[in-house]
Amino acid sequence: MATGASFKWVDIDSSPTPAAIYVNGKYVGETPLRYPLAFTSRTRYVVVVAEPLYSTQTRQEQHLSVPPLPGRIQFFMNNAEQTGTPER
């Protein structure tokens, strides 16, 4: 994490199956996972992507405007591909 960054541990999950998770383009693991999302004064948003592990599912993407950071992010892997800001 960058010096002076703010961060929060965020639970990231997907259903009905696991997914590969990328934060700002960096692979961070498979769901379910707990990951420290961070931002600085120069960060406008954090991008969290769930890549499907099965060919019948589609990529999901959430752009999180910061601050604040959510405590939990949920992806539903059987949705048609979506890009947007999660409800808070």
Side-chain angles (χ1 to χ4, degrees), residues 1-9 26 35-40 69:
M1 261 180 259
T3 302
S6 296
F7 81 95
K8 182 175 184 178
W9 286 96
K26 176 186 168 193
Y35 187 78
L37 292 183
F39 64 93
T40 68
L69 287 168

Side-chain angles (χ1 to χ4, degrees), residues 15 26 28 44-45 52 78:
S15 62
K26 176 186 168 193
V28 297
R44 295 182 63 193
Y45 56 88
N78 289 345

